Amino acid sequence: MPDDEDATGTRLIERPFENPHAGDPVLGPAYAGGYKEGAFGDHTLDNNPAGEPGPATEAFNEGFDDGIARFEAYKKGFKRGITVGLRGMTTDDFVPPPLGTEHVEDLKAAWLEGRTDGLGVARIVRDGIEAKALESPDFDEPSGPIHSTGLGSLGRLYSQEYQGGRAIYFIHPSGQSFAIDAPIFAEYKKLGELGSFLGRPLAGTKRVSDGRGKVTEFENGTMYSTEDTGAHEVHGKIGAKWKELGGPTGDLGYPTSNEQFERADRGKVNTFEHGDIYLWDDIGVQVVRSIQVRYRGQNCFAESDELSAQDETYIVATAVGPNRDATVSVRSPVIDVDAGGSFPDAMVVYQGPPAGIGALTVTMAEHDSGNPDEYRGQIEAGVRLAMNGLAAAVAATGVGLTVSGIALALANVGAGPIANAINDAIDSGDDTIGTAVFPLAPKALIGLAQAPRQRERDVEFHLATPLLTGEGAYKAYFDVTFG
């Protein structure tokens, strides 16, 4: 194979050539050696037998330059043959362009030889692509021209798109061919096709054994698709762990995203139908099927100074999601409390993937004459209003309106804006005791779920609010579990 960027898989045939030193017993062979090295060999000057300055070396270099000119003429002809051949032409009446002022006939012969070889390779490529299309369902009509990309020592990869978002790849000179079906090809193309981290295809699209999905293997990853999930790739340590757990037929199901950056904690994540797989350098691969955040109760450290014998308190907990509809509040029952009392509970605030909650806001209220459910709705509206107001803080994280961006922003600004927005939204006869905010990026949630619970009085917990002292003095508690 010639040492050139085209990786043509062909070699210029050694033909007689003009030797201006043919009659000289020293210079003639030196020129011939250089010419053959340039035109037919490895196209380098490393094999000069003379090795030292002098007439023989000059003749060798002269021959080498002339040989390189012949090889370049061959390559230009080859490219011409490939170009017209891939268009479906079998002959070409194009006249070779001027290729040099010396050895004109020699250069023209090399160009014509290259064109003939190029036409031959193009015919092989067209026939290979057409044969693969005929044996592949739904590959009816091409929708574009044939393109080519160099593969180094492997040769060249040729590709042609077909109607319906499909493509066929053909490698010359090995003759391997792959049919990539929709929607996998569309996603592969969106990622950058051959220029993406996936690299070139190693096989055509196949049916998964469950009959539900399709799969295509690439150099550096695998892509799966179903009608429900679309097409998504898995690779690296996350892909290896998922396949270890059974891949698409395991309990996580098919991927619902490509590998993404979880930028709040500099991690990576693939989401799947029934869970997620995260990767961080310090804690490794983490498989999470679901996260549950629960309200675990409250402790009363001091009652309010109202005339009533005891306080009647409740909490409103809001799971802050990446969009308005994903921000939802729940309310605990109203309970009669006394100073020193401990009141365990187990109310679910959030159940779902770690990427569905970016923060937990907690507002404790003392029930007087208001409607606790109306109060809950007002608090939820206040949190949503606060998130609108925090848009600039979220944008400053560089992550965007995802749970990671929300968690980072709230970690920076604290509970103030949310507490203010809640107070502005409330129009109720009940009194606010206090508000607290917990930023909860996925890594924090997973760490809490893995950690042992703490205990204060009768309540077990992972998270505790600061002492809330607007009306009385209370703490509210929460835990995180793998759901």
Side-chain angles (χ1 to χ4, degrees), residues 392-412:
V394 174
T397 66
V399 179
L401 192 61
T402 66
V403 293
S404 295
I406 291 168
L408 282 173
L410 293 179
N412 291 331

Side-chain angles (χ1 to χ4, degrees), residues 253-273:
Y254 283 84
T256 56
S257 77
N258 299 328
E259 185 177 286
Q260 306 169 27
F261 286 108
E262 201 293 293
R263 289 168 57 187
D265 295 295
R266 303 179 69 84
K268 300 175 182 177
V269 59
N270 263 99
T271 62
F272 299 88
E273 290 178 291

Side-chain angles (χ1 to χ4, degrees), residues 78-92 115-135 139-140 142 144-148 156-162 168-173 175-178:
F78 185 90
K79 290 180 180 179
R80 174 65 186 180
I82 286 286
T83 299
V84 299
L86 293 181
R87 296 173 185 166
M89 298 170 59
T90 57
T91 59
D92 179 22
R115 184 182 63 180
T116 299
D117 286 350
L119 286 168
V121 169
R123 183 167 55 253
I124 292 171
V125 171
R126 291 199 322 271
D127 290 349
I129 290 175
E130 184 178 351
K132 177 57 69 172
L134 289 173
E135 69 180 48
F139 281 76
D140 300 323
I146 298 174
H147 300 283
S148 69
R156 293 191 75 82
L157 183 69
Y158 295 87
S159 63
Q160 186 169 34
E161 294 186 28
Y162 278 70
I168 290 176
Y169 291 85
F170 182 89
I171 298 177
H172 182 269
Q176 291 178 288
S177 59
F178 314 112

Side-chain angles (χ1 to χ4, degrees), residues 241-252:
K241 184 63 177 180
W242 176 64
K243 290 179 181 178
E244 176 188 319
L245 295 173
T249 58
D251 61 359
L252 287 176

